[in-house]
């Protein structure tokens, strides 16, 4: 690079706003449970002004960004880029089969390289609106607390624990009903009969607490709650329910298997047919199933697409006043039958 060109580039960079992202690194991955389970990347972004913050992005958001940038800046002939075009870095392709966690872990170095090269493109490219919105810290990003930041912390870090007030009569607490051996330092080891003082709810299935001067997380199914956490502390991110309950019935000739499935979605969110089918296959460990809902006359109506989902929810809300449900339970229920069985079971839910 010639000296005049270098000076011009440095001058352009100096004139960039301080909130422009100039580097990004993946700190960890987090599993998000909803109607479908997926992993998202915890990304630390650094700006020209020196500030740092965390954002949370799924692979498909990387993919959508790349498609937008390609349509705007990729030259028709890579050998002859124009003045308003540039050669974009390669984004790792989609993977449709395999363990989701392993896929996410394997993508970390590739996506880190992708972001490094993306933010190393010419100065004018950093002002692109789609790029800036991708790295922008939304209100939801700023309010979410990461569970871990493995790649940002030194391996010799000390874990800072919070000691609750050991008031036997007022502290939230639980009793271990079974022995539990943690799989990592973050998880408590429990012995049957021990009393665990509760600190917070991690998600729908796990709690954080302290026992024998050790603090960590443990599955709620291994304990009996003696005194529950206050409602404000029972919510993973500190605002609103982080999970809701969906009542499901698996109808078989031998009977009805009823499940209350926890999903980390708001009651107002409508799942797609594919998401719901995938979740039910995972819950009941059956692939050969079909989804149904019970209409006001008591008949089972088969669900085939997103429009049927809309109809089920609309009709269920019309019946909402007749059936009392907990505040965090969906106003609709789901009836699952075997797809290979064409009969209609007249079992009352």
């Amino acid at each position: 690079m010639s000296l005049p060109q270098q000076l011009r580039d440095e001058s352009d960079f100096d004139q960039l706003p301080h909130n422009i992202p100039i580097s990004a690194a993946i700190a960890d991955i987090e599993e998000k449970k909803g109607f479908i389970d997926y992993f998202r990347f915890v990304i630390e972004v650094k700006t020209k002004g020196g500030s740092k913050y965390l954002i949370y992005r799924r692979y498909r958001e990387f993919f959508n960004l790349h498609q937008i940038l390609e349509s705007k800046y990729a030259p028709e002939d890579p050998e002859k880029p124009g003045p308003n075009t540039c050669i974009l870095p390669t984004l790792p392709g989609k993977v449709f089969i395999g363990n989701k966690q392993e896929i996410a872990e394997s993508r970390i170095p590739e996506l880190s390289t992708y972001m490094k090269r993306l933010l190393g493109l010419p100065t004018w490219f950093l002002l692109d609106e789609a790029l800036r919105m991708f790295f922008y810290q939304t209100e939801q990003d700023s309010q979410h607390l990461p569970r871990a930041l493995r790649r940002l912390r030194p391996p010799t870090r000390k874990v800072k624990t919070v000691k609750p007030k050991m008031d036997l009569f007022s502290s939230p607490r639980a009793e271990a009903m079974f022995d539990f051996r943690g799989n990592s330092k973050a998880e408590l080891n429990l012995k049957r009969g021990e009393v665990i003082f509760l600190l917070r709810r991690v998600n729908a299935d796990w709690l954080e607490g302290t026992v024998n001067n050790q603090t960590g997380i443990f599955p709620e199914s291994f304990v009996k709650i003696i005194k529950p956490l206050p409602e404000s502390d029972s919510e993973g991110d500190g605002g609103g329910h982080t999970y809701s309950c969906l009542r499901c019935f698996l109808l078989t000739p031998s009977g009805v298997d009823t499940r209350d499935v926890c999903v980390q979605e708001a009651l107002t969110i409508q799942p797609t047919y594919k998401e719901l089918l995938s979740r039910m296959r995972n819950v009941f460990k059956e692939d050969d199933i079909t989804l149904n809902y019970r209409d006001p006359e008591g008949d089972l109506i088969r669900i085939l697409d997103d429009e049927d989902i809309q109809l089920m929810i609309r009709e269920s809300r019309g019946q909402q006043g007749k059936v009392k449900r907990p505040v965090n339970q969906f106003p609709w229920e789901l009836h699952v039958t075997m797809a290979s069985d064409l009969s209609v079971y007249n079992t009352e839910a």
Side-chain angles (χ1 to χ4, degrees), residues 153-157:
R153 294 176 178 172
T156 56
R157 70 184 184 276

Side-chain angles (χ1 to χ4, degrees), residues 1 9 13 21-24 86-87 89 112-126 131 135:
M1 181 186 297
D9 289 346
F13 182 84
I22 59 171
S23 70
C86 55
I87 305 299
S112 294
T113 300
Y114 175 78
M115 290 189 295
K116 179 180 179 180
R117 293 177 177 173
L118 199 64
L119 295 175
L121 288 173
T123 304
W124 57 265
F125 183 85
L126 300 179
L131 184 73
F135 288 106

Side-chain angles (χ1 to χ4, degrees), residues 78 144 174-175 246 259 262 292 321 330:
H144 181 74
E175 178 185 350
L246 173 60
R259 303 278 185 93
C262 284
N292 312 266
F330 281 81

Side-chain angles (χ1 to χ4, degrees), residues 211-238:
V211 64
N212 298 327
N213 293 320
Q214 298 294 318
T215 298
I217 63 174
F218 58 92
E220 186 176 7
S221 58
F222 276 68
V223 303
K224 177 179 71 175
I225 303 297
I226 301 173
K227 182 179 176 62
L229 288 159
E231 186 174 348
S232 60
D233 293 332
S234 298
E235 299 155 3
D237 293 338

Side-chain angles (χ1 to χ4, degrees), residues 47-188:
T47 67
K48 175 177 173 285
S51 62
K52 300 177 184 178
Y53 54 81
L54 296 175
I55 60 174
Y56 304 81
R57 299 292 183 265
R58 296 179 63 175
Y59 170 81
R60 71 178 185 186
E61 293 174 276
F62 278 93
F63 186 83
N64 292 340
L65 171 68
H66 190 76
Q67 285 191 313
I68 293 172
L69 297 178
E70 265 196 329
S71 66
K72 294 168 68 174
Y73 302 115
E76 294 182 5
D77 184 356
E79 299 294 328
K80 299 178 181 179
N84 295 319
T85 64
C86 55
I87 305 299
L88 298 173
T90 302
L91 179 72
K94 291 184 176 181
V95 179
F96 298 97
I97 299 175
N99 180 279
K100 292 181 180 179
Q101 183 171 0
E102 291 177 358
I103 293 171
E105 288 280 1
S106 67
R107 278 176 168 160
I108 289 175
E110 295 175 311
L111 289 177
S112 294
T113 300
Y114 175 78
M115 290 189 295
K116 179 180 179 180
R117 293 177 177 173
L118 199 64
L119 295 175
L121 288 173
T123 304
W124 57 265
F125 183 85
L126 300 179
L127 295 170
D128 179 83
E129 183 179 1
L131 184 73
R132 295 186 67 180
M133 287 305 299
F134 178 86
F135 288 106
Y136 177 77
Q137 186 186 45
T138 65
E139 184 177 354
Q140 187 177 4
D141 288 332
S142 64
Q143 292 177 353
H144 181 74
L145 296 176
R147 296 184 181 91
L149 295 174
R150 291 175 293 166
R151 291 163 184 82
L152 294 184
R153 294 176 178 172
T156 56
R157 70 184 184 276
K158 292 183 179 180
V159 178
K160 183 179 180 181
T161 59
V162 180
K163 293 185 178 180
K165 297 177 181 178
M166 296 301 181
D167 184 340
L168 295 178
F169 297 101
S170 64
S171 294
R173 58 198 184 278
E175 178 185 350
M177 304 302 293
F178 312 96
D179 290 349
F180 173 73
R181 186 172 182 81
N183 290 328
S184 68
K185 292 181 180 179
E187 298 178 6
L188 283 178

